[in-house]
Short mmCIF file of all heavy atoms in Angstrom, two decimals:
data_model
loop_
_atom_site.label_atom_id
_atom_site.label_comp_id
_atom_site.label_asym_id
_atom_site.label_seq_id
_atom_site.Cartn_x
_atom_site.Cartn_y
_atom_site.Cartn_z
N CYS A 485 -36.16 59.23 86.88
CA CYS A 485 -35.02 59.72 87.57
C CYS A 485 -35.56 59.99 89.03
O CYS A 485 -36.51 60.61 89.28
CB CYS A 485 -34.55 61.06 87.06
SG CYS A 485 -33.10 61.79 87.96
N HIS A 524 -29.26 68.86 87.01
CA HIS A 524 -29.19 67.39 86.89
C HIS A 524 -30.11 66.98 85.71
O HIS A 524 -29.69 66.30 84.79
CB HIS A 524 -29.61 66.73 88.21
CG HIS A 524 -29.74 65.25 88.13
ND1 HIS A 524 -28.75 64.43 88.61
CD2 HIS A 524 -30.71 64.42 87.59
CE1 HIS A 524 -29.08 63.20 88.42
NE2 HIS A 524 -30.27 63.15 87.83
N HIS A 528 -29.50 65.51 81.85
CA HIS A 528 -30.25 64.31 81.09
C HIS A 528 -30.58 64.79 79.73
O HIS A 528 -30.41 64.08 78.76
CB HIS A 528 -31.38 63.87 81.88
CG HIS A 528 -31.10 63.02 83.07
ND1 HIS A 528 -30.10 62.07 83.02
CD2 HIS A 528 -31.73 62.92 84.26
CE1 HIS A 528 -30.14 61.37 84.19
NE2 HIS A 528 -31.03 62.00 85.00
N HIS A 534 -26.64 58.96 84.45
CA HIS A 534 -26.04 59.21 85.77
C HIS A 534 -24.66 58.90 85.93
O HIS A 534 -24.11 58.05 85.24
CB HIS A 534 -26.90 58.43 86.84
CG HIS A 534 -28.32 58.85 87.03
ND1 HIS A 534 -29.39 58.09 87.08
CD2 HIS A 534 -28.85 60.13 87.07
CE1 HIS A 534 -30.63 58.78 87.14
NE2 HIS A 534 -30.16 60.02 87.20
N TYR A 565 -26.57 61.74 92.55
CA TYR A 565 -27.63 62.20 93.40
C TYR A 565 -26.91 62.89 94.52
O TYR A 565 -26.60 62.13 95.57
CB TYR A 565 -28.48 61.07 93.83
CG TYR A 565 -29.43 60.44 92.84
CD1 TYR A 565 -30.11 59.26 93.18
CD2 TYR A 565 -29.62 61.02 91.67
CE1 TYR A 565 -30.99 58.76 92.27
CE2 TYR A 565 -30.47 60.46 90.67
CZ TYR A 565 -31.23 59.32 91.07
OH TYR A 565 -32.09 58.68 90.14
ZN1 ZN B 1 -31.34 61.60 87.10
#
Side-chain angles (χ1 to χ4, degrees):
C485 177
H524 176 100
H528 281 320
H534 290 138
Y565 288 170

